[in-house]
Amino acid sequence: MDDDNDQEHLIEDDYYTFLNIPRNATQEEINYAYRRQSKLYHPDKHVDPVLKKEAEILFNRTKAAYKVLSNPHQRAIYDSVGIRGLQTEGWEIVERTKTPQEIREEYEYLAKEAEERKLLRLTNPTTSITMNINATDLFNRYDKDYEDSRDILSCIEVSGMSFTQSIEAPLTLQDIITMYGQLSTRNGIGSGSIHIAAKRLLSSKGWIELEVGAGNGPTISFKGFRLLPHKLMFNGATVLEFTPVEIKASLVGTLTMQLDTHTIGELTYNAGSESSMSTGIVRDTDRSYTSFSIHLGIIRSFISFNYVYKMHEKEMKLRGSVKAGTFGLVVEYGAEKKISRHTRLSATVSAGVPTGVMLKLKLNRSFQTYAFPIHLSDEVLPATVFYATVVPIMTWVILKKIVIDPMVKKREEREKEKEKEVNKTRMMEKQKEAESATKLMKATVSRIRATEESKKGLIISKALYGRFVYPQQDQYNSDQRPIHRDEVIDVTIPLQCLVKDSKLILYDASKSELPGFYDPCVGEEKQLLIQYLFRNQTHECIVKDNAPVRIPLPSHRVNTT
């Protein structure tokens, strides 16, 4: 397990960045980059024994990058999963496929098989706990004497609780057994059920499932899924429920159609004692999720609208929904925040007639879900809605400041230290290699600089790469001494060496893999500062580590007056 964790933190070579070519580079671009870099690092170009040995290391790296990227099969695998893909068992089979696209598909199949083999040795337990809380007495009290005789805690009671546990156990690559049970109690009355389902994957286009259960009565259901032509999908289920009085049968079918890249339409029909029909449309994009549906049934009918705004930069989602029908009207709004890699916290306020006001809190952690629906009032009272909205926000702000932020910071620091430790030896080698590359570039850089000076072209006067600390970011200890400092390296020579025809182009990847570069601060955010002359005028720019660079640009000109 530790070895797998180390592999996740291990930094791999980026062949594209090392040759300074885009990921969609043509064979001609790859050949040109290889020839240019080979001239720079070929051992025969250097007489000094020390430089000759250092050049041989860099020349071998250049050959390794060219060998992979110039081979369509190896390049397809490298593009999919990196260097580790080239070492995967069974890749010799992949190499014999006809096209790079088939290579990618074949490798994905091999990788999926490896994951499935791991899956066969595991079970996937999931747990869901729901605690219903009744706090209506906080806002609806009978008289003053009664109010004085009770404290706040006595006004809050647990009105119900439910517990659900499921275990998924793969038997073969196509067969999966799922067992799940549910226990619940409501106002002192309890109930429970247990179910066993067997699913078989028929192909990539369909599956079938048989499920039996026992609780309030035996149940048997048969479910299936099929991918149809013309971007259609069908999902159906037949359910038989046995009671002491009768046998209830129902048939549910859902037809889904892909309308465009982000939009699907659904049509569902339920035939049984509670017959109904519903239709809806769902649009899911990178920034938002929108759904609208109409439900017509014997017991109740309604229309609903849901909207989710996704704030990826803050790892947060804002939600809102409206549902109106024969049962009444319900309006909900709330937010979901990602606290850590596997943990999400959400809070939703529900206000409606005749349901009243409810605050729903939910915590999702890996395969566990904890839900706390808190019933605040039977009527929509302004005070109840206000407290249901403000109290969670204030609680979150305090918890975030006192508990969550320090915890996240400590975890990030541990991750950085882990990454630094795993890559410590590698970074020392990369630093030595970068210093060697810079020495080998000096003669070439002198020629490039002389050529650029003669035509008043692009001269890199200063270039720094790494972590910059600005005055407003400085933190001080008790002695008023800065804790943080710049962690940068000088990359003036390596950048000048990449200048061609008075232009410098770097692509959208970490600059640490460029020849003459290395990572001076593993795990930290890095930037590249470039000061240069073009047509005898001073220019300056600073870009993020993974941002592309194209200079010269008029916007980089410095006003020397």
Side-chain angles (χ1 to χ4, degrees):
M1 184 67 69
D2 290 339
D3 291 341
D4 293 340
N5 195 25
D6 289 350
Q7 287 294 324
E8 290 182 4
H9 289 87
L10 191 62
I11 300 173
E12 287 190 342
D13 290 336
D14 188 333
Y15 290 154
Y16 290 100
T17 304
F18 185 71
L19 296 178
N20 194 31
I21 54 177
R23 299 194 74 85
N24 61 350
T26 62
Q27 188 61 47
E28 290 74 20
E29 290 174 315
I30 296 172
N31 292 339
Y32 174 80
Y34 172 69
R35 287 195 301 269
R36 188 184 187 199
Q37 208 144 294
S38 295
K39 291 177 183 177
L40 189 62
Y41 301 131
H42 200 289
D44 294 343
K45 297 285 184 180
H46 306 278
V47 180
D48 185 288
V50 177
L51 290 178
K52 195 178 188 74
K53 187 175 181 180
E54 292 174 345
E56 187 175 354
I57 296 172
L58 290 160
F59 182 64
N60 288 336
R61 266 198 78 188
T62 304
K63 286 198 299 183
Y66 176 73
K67 180 181 177 182
V68 171
L69 299 185
S70 61
N71 184 314
H73 300 108
Q74 294 190 34
R75 182 180 179 182
I77 297 173
Y78 175 77
D79 287 347
S80 298
V81 287
I83 294 174
R84 279 177 290 178
L86 301 174
Q87 303 165 349
T88 300
E89 179 184 356
W91 104 271
E92 296 84 357
I93 300 173
V94 175
E95 190 174 14
R96 292 197 294 270
T97 51
K98 296 180 181 179
T99 66
Q101 181 59 32
E102 290 175 347
I103 279 286
R104 297 173 197 274
E105 293 173 357
E106 185 69 19
Y107 180 77
E108 287 173 2
Y109 171 75
L110 290 174
K112 185 177 179 181
E113 264 200 341
E115 287 298 320
E116 287 176 337
R117 283 195 294 269
K118 289 182 182 179
L119 186 64
L120 290 179
R121 300 193 297 267
L122 302 172
T123 59
N124 298 308
T126 60
T127 304
S128 177
I129 299 175
T130 301
M131 182 181 294
N132 299 90
I133 300 173
N134 189 339
T136 55
D137 285 349
L138 286 174
F139 298 93
N140 295 290
R141 300 189 180 185
Y142 292 107
D143 52 52
K144 189 175 185 303
D145 293 335
Y146 183 70
E147 178 180 346
D148 293 339
S149 65
R150 304 184 69 192
D151 56 22
I152 293 178
L153 292 179
S154 64
C155 296
I156 301 174
E157 64 177 8
V158 177
S159 59
M161 195 170 181
S162 65
F163 175 83
T164 303
Q165 175 79 47
S166 69
I167 298 176
E168 184 180 276
L171 301 179
T172 68
L173 296 179
Q174 289 81 32
D175 300 304
I176 301 172
I177 293 290
T178 303
M179 301 177 61
Y180 65 94
Q182 186 261 345
L183 294 173
S184 64
T185 177
R186 186 77 177 180
N187 296 324
I189 301 175
S191 63
S193 63
I194 185 170
H195 299 260
I196 300 177
K199 177 187 285 188
R200 182 171 182 83
L201 304 177
L202 302 176
S203 67
S204 60
K205 295 183 178 181
W207 53 263
I208 56 174
E209 180 180 274
L210 177 64
E211 179 181 317
V212 294
N216 296 328
T219 60
I220 300 176
S221 65
F222 181 78
K223 304 175 184 177
F225 169 82
R226 180 67 181 176
L227 188 63
L228 304 174
H230 308 295
K231 299 181 179 180
L232 290 173
M233 292 169 282
F234 177 76
N235 201 326
T238 301
V239 183
L240 293 176
E241 186 177 353
F242 300 87
T243 68
V245 180
E246 60 180 343
I247 299 176
K248 295 181 179 180
S250 62
L251 177 65
V252 182
T254 301
L255 189 64
T256 305
M257 182 175 186
Q258 189 83 31
L259 303 177
D260 60 36
T261 307
H262 302 288
T263 309
I264 62 171
E266 292 183 342
L267 179 64
T268 301
Y269 181 72
N270 183 350
S273 58
E274 300 178 2
S275 296
S276 65
M277 185 176 70
S278 63
T279 182
I281 187 168
V282 178
R283 181 168 178 80
D284 191 0
T285 66
D286 290 337
R287 277 292 174 185
S288 65
Y289 172 90
T290 309
S291 68
F292 176 78
S293 64
I294 300 175
H295 180 92
L296 302 174
I298 294 177
I299 296 179
R300 63 175 185 171
S301 301
F302 61 86
I303 60 173
S304 67
F305 175 79
N306 297 273
Y307 181 78
V308 179
Y309 180 66
K310 305 174 184 177
M311 305 169 68
H312 295 292
E313 61 281 356
K314 295 184 178 180
E315 296 183 324
M316 189 174 179
K317 295 179 181 179
L318 301 179
R319 305 175 182 274
S321 68
V322 179
K323 183 184 289 186
T326 54
F327 65 90
L329 172 68
V330 176
V331 177
E332 293 188 350
Y333 58 90
E336 179 185 290
K337 173 68 177 176
K338 183 177 180 181
I339 301 175
S340 65
R341 183 179 179 183
H342 301 291
T343 306
R344 291 182 175 273
L345 179 65
S346 65
T348 303
V349 178
S350 174
V353 178
T355 55
V357 180
M358 184 176 291
L359 174 62
K360 302 175 183 178
L361 303 177
K362 183 183 290 186
L363 177 67
N364 294 93
R365 180 167 176 79
S366 296
F367 299 106
Q368 298 175 335
T369 302
Y370 303 92
F372 302 93
I374 305 173
H375 193 189
L376 299 176
S377 65
D378 294 321
E379 299 177 358
V380 180
L381 304 174
T384 310
V385 176
F386 175 78
Y387 284 112
T389 305
V390 174
V391 172
I393 294 175
M394 296 302 297
T395 305
W396 165 253
V397 171
I398 295 172
L399 285 176
K400 185 175 184 297
K401 189 71 174 177
I402 298 176
V403 180
I404 297 175
D405 284 351
M407 182 178 65
V408 171
K409 187 175 181 180
K410 285 183 180 179
R411 187 182 65 249
E412 290 177 349
E413 291 297 328
R414 287 196 301 268
E415 289 293 318
K416 290 177 184 177
E417 290 302 320
K418 178 69 174 178
E419 191 171 359
K420 289 178 182 178
E421 185 63 29
V422 170
N423 293 281
K424 184 176 180 181
T425 303
R426 176 174 170 77
M427 286 302 107
M428 291 176 63
E429 294 174 353
K430 296 282 285 182
Q431 180 178 353
K432 185 178 179 181
E433 182 184 290
E435 293 169 353
S436 300
T438 302
K439 286 190 290 185
L440 295 169
M441 291 174 183
K442 286 183 177 178
T444 303
V445 165
S446 297
R447 291 195 297 269
I448 294 174
R449 185 182 289 270
T451 302
E452 294 296 325
E453 286 177 346
S454 65
K455 58 183 181 181
K456 297 181 180 180
L458 180 58
I459 307 295
I460 307 296
S461 53
K462 184 179 181 180
L464 299 175
Y465 172 71
R467 178 176 179 269
F468 296 91
V469 177
Y470 302 100
Q472 64 268 27
Q473 294 177 325
D474 286 345
Q475 296 183 14
Y476 296 89
N477 57 19
S478 57
D479 298 328
Q480 292 299 307
R481 290 176 299 182
I483 298 175
H484 297 304
R485 59 180 177 80
D486 288 349
E487 295 176 288
V488 297
I489 57 174
D490 191 311
V491 291
T492 306
I493 292 175
L495 280 190
Q496 185 70 67
C497 193
L498 293 172
V499 172
K500 181 179 180 292
D501 298 331
S502 299
K503 294 179 182 178
L504 174 64
I505 300 175
L506 306 178
Y507 300 95
D508 50 349
S510 175
K511 312 299 182 290
S512 61
E513 289 294 314
L514 287 167
F517 284 63
Y518 68 93
D519 193 338
C521 47
V522 176
E524 303 286 352
E525 290 187 5
K526 291 169 281 290
Q527 294 174 307
L528 176 62
L529 168 69
I530 309 174
Q531 295 176 352
Y532 61 94
L533 294 173
F534 182 69
R535 295 177 181 172
N536 290 337
Q537 291 185 320
T538 304
H539 295 66
E540 182 177 296
C541 68
I542 186 165
V543 296
K544 293 183 178 180
D545 186 24
N546 290 285
V549 176
R550 300 180 76 89
I551 60 174
L553 285 177
S555 59
H556 295 164
R557 189 179 303 151
V558 177
N559 187 355
T560 56
T561 59

